[in-house]
């Protein structure tokens, strides 16, 4: 009680000592030029989870050298949870057929349908099981800078080799805001920037990439705008991965791209590796193009999910809002597999058309 009384006396004395402002002082305070409070400016400091001793630390140059990176599919159980057994089998098929890296939880892997807990768990699982055999690149991007920072901290904490970051979508920002957003996450480790205006609604122009490329952690860009844009980067020595499977052969051999971040390699990793490593080969590229066209007739990953189910590699389970391709398109896929050769596709089961009733659509997961 004595302590409380003492504090009360101190507060009363402090109040009595407050300066009294005259009229002229009030006038000056109203007319003076506003200055930003120093307390509102947060310096760029090391965040609590950041560590330079994380598992599987890799160099930016290791990431820059990758030619075939698969945007890996995430399979599901009938209740909508991850089917890790099918996932592991699919990753192993990528390793055995020459893929050098995987994007975990990207658009193809349906990271947009995952909770962050699921997302980070899958990145950690992939690193723990396969980090010594393949580079694991976690999609930890977000349209919220706060979420992107937190997810990237966690991704590197569980051992991912690099991060994939998209520009803020829907709630778009200015170009200066975009640079600030990416600068905020790039300091944590090797980073690939992903430009896909068809999904984000905003292009990342070359002048932004040229600024970001000054960072020692900038590995390169996954570019979906086209090969004219690829030229603008490779002419300046910036590493580019094509984000378009239908253009990746020409990107690699005619425009200087390092490689591709591929959807199609989920299905035919050996053929895609040959496309990236075997030299310029238009006839080989033409062999794959009907499959690529079939895959992207609806927004990715609808075609891929349907195809992997037909091959028996994953269960025919879809997290909504994705639904399988219709029966006629599934018949087309069976014919494509026969035309290209079943031996070129992942899995060992016979390809099937599947009935509509075979598919499970999960709305709560």
């Amino acid at each position: 009680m004595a302590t409380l009384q003492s504090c009360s006396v101190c507060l009363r004395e402090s109040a009595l000592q407050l300066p009294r402002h005259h009229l002229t002082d009030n006038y000056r305070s109203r007319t003076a030029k506003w200055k930003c409070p120093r307390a509102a400016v947060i310096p760029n400091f090391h965040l609590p989870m950041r560590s330079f001793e994380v598992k599987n630390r890799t160099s930016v140059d290791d990431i820059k050298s990758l030619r075939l990176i698969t945007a890996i599919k995430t399979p599901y159980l009938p209740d909508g949870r991850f089917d890790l057994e099918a996932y592991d089998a699919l990753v192993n098929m990528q390793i055995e057929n020459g893929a050098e890296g995987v994007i975990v939880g990207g658009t193809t892997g349906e990271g947009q349908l995952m909770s962050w807990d699921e997302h980070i768990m899958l990145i950690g699982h992939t690193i723990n099981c396969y980090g010594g055999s393949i580079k694991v690149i976690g999609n930890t991007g977000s349209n919220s800078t706060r979420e992107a920072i937190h997810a990237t901290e966690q991704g590197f904490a569980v051992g991912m080799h690099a991060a994939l970051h998209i520009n803020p979508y829907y709630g778009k920002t200015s170009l200066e805001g975009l640079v600030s957003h990416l600068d905020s996450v790039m300091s944590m480790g090797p980073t690939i920037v992903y430009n896909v205006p068809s999904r984000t609604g905003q292009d990342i122009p070359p002048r932004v990439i040229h600024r970001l490329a000054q960072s020692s952690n900038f590995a390169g860009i996954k570019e979906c705008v086209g090969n004219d844009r690829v030229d603008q980067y490779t002419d300046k020595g910036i590493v580019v991965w094509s984000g378009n499977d239908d253009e990746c052969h020409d990107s690699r051999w005619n425009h200087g791209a390092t490689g591709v971040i591929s959807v199609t390699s989920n299905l035919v990793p050996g053929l895609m590796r040959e496309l990236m490593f075997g030299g310029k080969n238009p006839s080989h590229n033409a062999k794959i193009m009907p499959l690529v066209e079939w895959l992207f007739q609806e927004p990715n990953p609808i075609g891929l999910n349907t195809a992997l189910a037909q091959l028996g590699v994953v269960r025919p389970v879809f997290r909504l809002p994705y639904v399988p391709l219709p029966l006629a398109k599934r018949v087309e896929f069976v014919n494509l597999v026969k035309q290209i050769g079943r031996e070129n596709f992942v899995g060992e089961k016979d390809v099937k058309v599947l009935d509509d009733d075979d598919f499970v659509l999960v709305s709560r997961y």
Side-chain angles (χ1 to χ4, degrees):
M1 181 63 70
T3 303
L4 291 175
Q5 290 175 346
S6 174
C7 289
S8 176
V9 170
C10 290
L11 288 172
R12 286 199 301 272
E13 290 178 350
S14 297
L16 292 172
Q17 294 172 7
L18 289 173
R20 297 177 180 273
H21 295 289
H22 298 290
L23 180 63
T24 54
D25 293 331
N26 290 334
Y27 177 77
R28 289 194 195 98
S29 67
R30 290 198 303 269
T31 59
K33 186 176 180 181
W34 181 85
K35 293 183 179 180
C36 176
R38 289 184 61 85
V41 181
I42 302 175
N44 185 17
F45 57 89
H46 294 331
L47 295 163
M49 288 184 61
R50 184 175 173 187
S51 170
F52 289 103
E53 300 298 329
V54 297
K55 183 180 180 181
N56 294 319
R57 172 66 69 180
T58 192
S59 72
V60 175
D61 287 340
D62 288 339
I63 303 301
K64 288 181 176 182
S65 67
L66 304 178
R67 298 186 186 182
L68 177 59
I69 303 171
T70 297
I72 198 76
K73 151 74 177 167
T74 307
Y76 304 114
L77 296 168
D79 62 3
R81 292 178 298 136
F82 294 164
D83 184 348
L84 291 180
E85 184 178 352
Y87 178 82
D88 289 350
L90 186 58
V91 174
N92 268 317
M93 293 173 200
Q94 300 300 312
I95 295 170
E96 290 168 1
N97 286 278
E100 300 170 293
V102 288
I103 303 288
V104 178
T107 306
T108 305
E110 300 178 16
Q112 62 275 14
L113 304 186
M114 296 178 188
S115 69
W116 280 116
D117 284 346
E118 288 180 314
H119 212 135
I120 300 302
M121 179 275 285
L122 192 60
I123 292 171
H125 171 81
T126 310
I127 271 288
N128 286 331
C129 295
Y130 308 105
S133 302
I134 199 167
K135 295 301 181 187
V136 178
I137 302 157
N139 170 33
T140 54
S142 172
N143 59 347
S144 161
T145 305
R146 177 183 63 85
E147 287 191 6
I149 290 172
H150 187 60
T152 304
E153 286 180 315
Q154 291 186 323
F156 280 116
V158 299
M160 70 182 183
H161 298 112
L164 179 74
H165 279 282
I166 202 165
N167 50 312
Y169 46 88
Y170 182 69
K172 298 183 291 185
T173 185
S174 64
L175 295 186
E176 288 299 323
L178 173 56
V179 171
S180 295
H181 171 85
L182 292 169
D183 274 343
S184 296
V185 294
M186 200 171 294
S187 62
M188 300 180 201
T191 301
I192 298 173
V193 175
Y194 181 16
N195 186 35
V196 55
S198 64
R199 290 187 181 267
T200 63
Q202 184 180 40
D203 180 35
I204 306 177
R207 63 181 180 274
V208 169
I209 296 300
H210 291 150
R211 285 179 62 179
L212 296 173
Q214 297 172 21
S215 168
S216 60
N217 281 330
F218 178 83
I221 179 168
K222 177 185 177 182
E223 182 58 74
C224 296
V225 166
N227 286 330
D228 289 342
R229 180 67 64 83
V230 172
D231 282 333
Q232 295 182 55
Y233 295 134
T234 55
D235 287 347
K236 299 291 185 181
I238 293 174
V239 171
V240 182
W241 292 273
S242 174
N244 301 324
D245 283 352
D246 60 335
E247 296 180 337
C248 69
H249 172 269
D250 290 348
S251 294
R252 171 86 175 95
W253 303 110
N254 296 339
H255 301 276
T258 295
V260 63
I261 297 178
S262 175
V263 176
T264 309
S265 56
N266 279 276
L267 298 173
V268 287
L271 295 182
M272 292 302 295
R273 178 180 171 85
E274 187 177 342
L275 204 63
M276 291 296 100
F277 284 81
K280 191 172 182 179
N281 191 339
S283 61
H284 180 64
N285 187 50
K287 178 181 180 180
I288 301 173
M289 281 307 102
L291 174 62
V292 173
E293 292 170 3
W294 182 90
L295 274 175
F296 294 98
Q297 57 195 308
E298 293 289 354
N300 180 52
I302 293 171
L304 177 65
N305 292 352
T306 305
L308 286 171
Q310 290 186 248
L311 291 167
V313 174
V314 305
R315 289 178 169 89
V317 179
F318 282 66
R319 281 185 173 185
L320 288 172
Y322 300 121
V323 298
L325 290 175
L327 179 61
K329 297 299 181 182
R330 301 200 298 267
V331 172
E332 287 180 12
F333 179 69
V334 171
N335 293 329
L336 278 171
V337 172
K338 292 176 180 178
Q339 176 186 333
I340 296 172
R342 178 65 183 91
E343 68 279 4
N344 292 309
F345 287 78
V346 292
E348 298 178 353
K349 297 180 180 178
D350 291 337
V351 62
K352 296 180 179 179
V353 173
L354 297 181
D355 295 327
D356 290 343
D357 292 341
D358 291 327
F359 291 94
V360 177
L361 307 182
V362 185
S363 58
R364 292 192 177 190
Y365 38 80

